[in-house]
């Protein structure tokens, strides 16, 4: 039952890390192995036996859906871990160093005592999650497809006189009627000069004629997410905004053209960034060119000049060059791409700008 | 500028804890002092000077809205902390032990070196947040009021033949058109036997006639949340469900009747629990009777038999007795209450069941 590829990769990493078992505390990582979105739950994984420790409220659902030994969280996590550690005779227990608090670490070391060594491990599961399998790609594609449909719907509802928040209201209805569980993050609708804020909050501002409207959104389907950004224009587009659109659009194409397995990730960032910089706008584009998307809306690989790895088939990430002119306007265009065996595929194929 | 009551309470706690400064890393706690919902940001608070360290994407918004010294997060948090620690000559730096990861703790101790002591502190800000001020109560009241309106709206849209997720779609539209920023958590619409799962996920199940429908929801207004649950019935109510409704309703009243400053919190839990147990249903009601609500949908005070504190004016929390019969049905009724100087007030006064 437990021998699917995800868990067998985990067991390999456990052996390679010279630990007997690994404690997974981060919800997205727990969900990855459960193949089912789940919160407030922990996985204690070992090649001998893997336990899902979950709150009594989720027991009924977990037993229906999850293949691991399901244990009810009784009292405290550290005591539950102690019981399993004794049962499996674990001597070295790995844990997610970025996802265990200082407090919980202290509780667990206190409960386990000196005979069990706790071994901090950095992003073990995150590294496995960077390469998507077919099932994951299908879910991401479904999320992207629905987001593309939403952008078509947006063309009809973005009108002068409408509040940004009203747009968000209609989109939040539309995506659920179309089968999404929810939005993958708070929808950004930023009109006029508000588009210059890279993470503007959707407000009660009324959209005016001749304003650019930036919409950054995604949906979640079976736990997998999408993330796309497009610009909408009402009335006339000012010349400087039109120029910024052309530059960002060309920067996006330059980055996408370079995508194939084996290419250094920093080259992708560079392709978009240098083009934007050639217009004197390097200070107006300060975030990285993209980020992985999957069970989380931001995950590996980080498409930045600091990333020293190379592209591999199965990676899914955004390409989102932008320029921001504070108090004036901003333009961002965001696609999602999949690295294939031979090249790459833009997942949002029907959005042609 | 920095001498409002929230920050002056924080500075008192800093002095009492024998530390020079306190690092706030938890978003809800950072938002509490900024009086503005903010993510990916950190507060380094000291009576001398308080710094908000935030991502460049939020600088523009932060400088408009926030009263602390705003610093851009450059490279790594630990390096930014080091600069401020040197500037303010901090020797003992407190941190939120539940909200700093083992990894980040290691990075910060590494950067600060041996001359600065990092002092773990448990829930310092959470304890301050338990007592709401007038501004907070007004925002919570606005969120509750809109949730009450939504329950009226729900009566019109819950119909046989409609999917649970379609109900969620309409509610997610309604609350935003009415001015909510978002739902305070994923709306639960659980119909028929799905109501027996305390945290059911809203599904594509079609609502049938003669089924109970449990709706658990809340909205967010200026960062403050609401959380209410009601049952809806279509067609006939089965006798056993009607009996469960009566028992849960009476249990809720028994708990609410006991509310006033000075009463031990465990007595509130006991009042509802013992009544339910008198019907032989103690195993069918296993969660606590309530939880605080404010910037988070679950915060202090926890209304459980394990809580040894007493009620105080300014506390806001839920009262939510329930009974669950696995595979059959569940009933939960959830109010929100405010402890006043002399007694208590049910915030959702217009919902009379």
């Amino acid at each position: 039952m437990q021998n699917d590829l995800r868990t067998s990769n985990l067991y390999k990493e456990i052996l390679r890390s010279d630990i007997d078992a690994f404690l997974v505390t981060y919800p997205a990582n727990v969900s990855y192995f459960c193949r089912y979105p789940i919160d407030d739950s922990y996985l204690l994984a070992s090649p001998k036996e893997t336990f899902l420790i979950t709150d009594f409220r989720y027991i009924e659902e977990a037993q229906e859906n999850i293949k691991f030994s399901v244990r009810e969280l009784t009292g405290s996590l550290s005591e539950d871990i102690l019981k399993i550690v004794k049962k499996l005779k674990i001597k070295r227990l790995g844990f997610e160093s970025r996802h265990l608090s200082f407090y919980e670490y202290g509780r667990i070391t206190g409960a386990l005592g000196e005979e069990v060594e706790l071994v901090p491990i950095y992003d073990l599961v995150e590294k496995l999650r960077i390469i998507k399998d077919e099932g994951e790609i299908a879910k991401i594609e479904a999320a992207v497809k629905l987001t593309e449909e939403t952008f078509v719907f947006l063309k009809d509802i973005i009108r002068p006189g409408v509040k940004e928040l009203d747009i968000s209201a209609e989109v939040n209805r539309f995506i659920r009627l179309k089968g999404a569980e929810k939005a993958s993050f708070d929808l950004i609708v930023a009109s006029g000069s508000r588009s210059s804020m890279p993470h503007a909050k959707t407000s009660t501002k009324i959209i005016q004629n001749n304003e650019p409207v930036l919409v950054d959104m995604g949906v979640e389907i079976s736990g997998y997410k999408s993330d796309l950004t497009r610009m909408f224009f009402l009335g006339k587009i000012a010349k400087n905004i039109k120029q910024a659109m052309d530059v960002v659009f060309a920067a996006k194409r330059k980055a996408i053209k370079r995508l194939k397995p084996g290419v250094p990730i920093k080259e992708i960032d560079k392709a978009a960034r240098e083009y934007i910089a050639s217009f004197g706008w390097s200070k107006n584009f300060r975030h990285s060119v993209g980020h992985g998307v999957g069970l989380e809306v931001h995950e590996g690989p980080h498409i930045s000049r600091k990333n020293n790895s190379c592209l591999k088939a199965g990676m899914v990430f955004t390409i989102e060059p932008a320029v921001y002119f504070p108090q004036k306007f901003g333009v961002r265009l965001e696609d999602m791409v999949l690295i294939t065996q031979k090249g790459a595929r833009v997942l949002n194929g029907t959005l042609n700008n």
Side-chain angles (χ1 to χ4, degrees), chain A residues 142-158:
Chain A
V144 169
K145 185 162 175 284
L146 176 46
T147 312
E148 292 181 273
E149 287 177 45
T150 310
F151 278 107
V152 174
F153 171 69
L154 277 162
K155 277 186 199 164
D156 289 334
I157 62 168
I158 295 181

Side-chain angles (χ1 to χ4, degrees), chain A residues 216-233:
Chain A
D216 186 346
M217 67 159 291
V219 302
E220 182 172 328
I221 290 188
S222 306
Y224 283 81
K225 297 175 173 63
S226 61
D227 184 6
L228 297 171
T229 304
R230 285 295 182 270
M231 304 297 303
F232 294 82
F233 297 96

Side-chain angles (χ1 to χ4, degrees), chain A residues 139-186:
Chain A
K139 286 169 185 164
I140 294 169
E141 283 178 323
V144 169
K145 185 162 175 284
L146 176 46
T147 312
E148 292 181 273
E149 287 177 45
T150 310
F151 278 107
V152 174
F153 171 69
L154 277 162
K155 277 186 199 164
D156 289 334
I157 62 168
I158 295 181
R159 288 280 167 270
V162 176
K163 283 180 209 155
E164 292 174 357
L165 205 52
D166 292 351
I167 302 294
S168 172
E170 299 301 339
V171 168
N172 270 285
R173 173 175 182 268
F174 181 84
I175 60 173
R176 287 172 177 86
L177 291 180
K178 293 281 184 179
E181 285 132 34
K182 52 179 147 178
S184 52
F185 55 92
D186 294 343

